[in-house]
Amino acid sequence: MFEKTVNKTKAWKKLEHHYKHFRKLQMKDLFAVDPDRAKKFSVNFDAMYLDYSKNRINDRTMKLLLNLARECDLENKIKAMFKGDKINVTEKRPVLHIALRNRANTPIYVDGKNVMPQINEVLAKMKKFSDAVRFGEFRGQTGKKLTNIVNIGIGGSDLGPVMACEALRKYWAKDINCYFISNIDGTACAEVLNKIDPETTLFIVASKTFTTIETLTNARTCRKWLVDALGEHAVAKHFVALSTNTKEVEKFGINPENMFEFWDFVGGRYSMWSAIGLIIAIAVGFENFERMLEGAYAMDQHFYNTDFEHNIPVILAMLGIWYNNFFGLHRYAVIPYDQYLQYVPMYLQQLDMESNGKFVAMNGEYVKYATGPVLFGGAGTNVQHSFFQLIHQGPEVVPIDFVIPAISHNEVGEHHEILVANVLAQGEALMRGKTVKEAAAELKKAGKSREEINYLKRFKSFEGNRPSNTIVFKKIDPYTLGMLIAMYEHKVFVQGVVWNVDSFDQYGVELGKQMALSILPELQGTAYGIGHDASTTSLIELIKKLRK
Ligand code: G6Q
């Protein structure tokens, strides 16, 4: 079914060869000889500007990388996703988050049925409901306006909504507050319930399967809290469900009329554009939610229609492969210089690592090359004062994406210019570095003794030649957020195609879940010693003793 192992392709071999000659080249020298480099290695699309010139590439590198994409049949794989083929092979499902934001409303077929009417129907229901909550037409049991919106969900049913709500906080209705309960740790529930009033609270139970133990346990706790305060009748006015599983929603005690549906062709970590985004729509208003869909749609069109040379997700994906598979750099950081984007790295961690952290290829064989990197990040400038030491001087280079809006939502004094100065300085410093000689000269100028200079000069040097992309927007708004997230979704897709893994399953999270189910009765004292290793058995005993 899936023909060639990527590391046996012609393009891969050529890249290996190219790498040998290229790896020592310094970016600063490449800049020095080519005044057009910044222009050549940048793309401006719609509201987004990508500068990828601070990468260890030249024309030939890009040509070979894009040839690799071609040799992996990327063009047809993109088409297959957009037309609803079952590209999630292990689960035999299509992958149609793009249909959720298909603003042109062109038909997309799954098993001969156009999925657009059902998507539009749910969007219309979301609009009606989010408006009704925002404008106080849908009220709580005691007639009060619902102003505390609590999303109960985990993983893909949590991270997108959390990230987007935070990113768009400036657009929240003045009287609405959003809360998120995901962790099974009772603290997550307790801390939220302590802050809110049942009369003004709407719980959104977000679960694709409606069988996830964390979400159902949290939802039951919240349901009991509400019923204790307002009685059983209140559930209909204070609980809605987002799910693909009507039967389980009913079983839980939520009327299917209060359920917003989505479908198996939407993966959890790709679901913020579906009913899972309901809390976003309530917080920022449906028009803004639609703007987010429009931004994502614009990126989808760009990805679908643009030749690889100017295709932002393709370029970013292939650069990632250059570092991961040829330089052997298996870590990667995303650093938004925007406080509102602080959860973007956390969101991308799931998107990227759950999609491509795989060791079996589509043909069922173990891969013989690195796949998804470890992704981490945080908001700048904060992280400059934490892990940037390693980014600048750790022995392993970490390629970075910087994201920066030109205009802040809170233009206070000179804050934003200082912020921008910092992100640009980081990119430049990582690229240029500081030679030992330069460091020595600085120490000399500072009046240090010869002995001190000799000792300190290496500590004070920076090898440089460390790559980064810079993604610039005029402003982070619903539209540009949609573009940014869709860009990363497609980047991850492209890498999955090249690595030939199924980016849309997640069997890796199953084993721990299964084992937890077997340990639970032991902790509760209803089962004993079910063949664990000695460490696990003694930890179970220790914790049982401590809990007595
Ligand atoms: C995402 C994963 C996973 C999922 C959660 C929650 O792609 O499938 O993170 O979203 O396990 O699942 P439910 O939505 O079914 O509760």
Side-chain angles (χ1 to χ4, degrees), residues 400-455:
I400 294 189
D401 286 355
F402 292 115
V403 181
I404 175 83
I407 301 173
S408 167
H409 280 288
N410 300 291
E411 288 282 344
V412 184
E414 54 178 3
H415 287 231
H416 199 67
E417 273 125 21
I418 297 174
L419 184 79
V420 174
N422 269 280
V423 65
L424 299 183
Q426 289 301 326
E428 192 170 21
L430 285 164
M431 191 266 283
R432 289 165 65 105
K434 190 189 283 178
T435 60
V436 176
K437 219 166 139 192
E438 285 168 336
E442 268 184 25
L443 287 163
K444 193 171 174 195
K445 214 168 150 199
K448 300 288 177 198
S449 70
R450 209 176 158 141
E451 214 179 8
E452 275 180 303
I453 295 172
N454 273 339
Y455 178 63

Side-chain angles (χ1 to χ4, degrees), residues 208-266:
K208 180 172 165 180
T209 54
F210 232 77
T211 55
T212 307
I213 190 164
E214 291 92 335
T215 301
L216 290 188
T217 310
N218 280 324
R220 275 188 217 109
T221 302
C222 293
R223 193 181 193 283
K224 182 171 183 309
W225 175 83
L226 181 94
V227 169
D228 285 350
L230 302 177
E232 188 68 33
H233 278 324
V235 173
K237 289 284 181 192
H238 294 264
F239 267 84
V240 297
L242 321 174
S243 189
T244 57
N245 194 341
T246 318
K247 229 168 92 193
E248 288 298 324
V249 168
E250 259 188 298
K251 220 162 99 189
F252 179 83
I254 295 179
N255 186 336
E257 268 175 33
N258 285 345
M259 166 175 160
F260 296 79
E261 199 190 356
F262 63 112
W263 311 272
D264 267 350
F265 56 74
V266 181

Side-chain angles (χ1 to χ4, degrees), residues 33-85:
V33 297
D34 183 359
D36 280 341
R37 185 175 170 86
K39 209 165 118 202
K40 190 192 291 170
F41 296 122
S42 59
V43 188
N44 184 194
F45 163 65
D46 197 339
M48 181 186 278
Y49 182 87
L50 164 68
D51 176 343
Y52 64 100
S53 61
K54 291 194 198 80
N55 276 292
R56 292 164 74 168
I57 53 166
N58 64 7
D59 291 324
R60 180 156 172 79
T61 324
M62 286 316 292
K63 193 169 160 215
L64 293 177
L65 285 170
L66 299 181
N67 280 346
L68 177 63
R70 286 187 191 99
E71 221 178 311
C72 296
D73 202 21
L74 178 62
E75 208 176 315
N76 284 321
K77 299 274 165 71
I78 296 174
K79 284 188 184 142
M81 171 164 71
F82 276 70
K83 75 180 164 41
D85 286 0

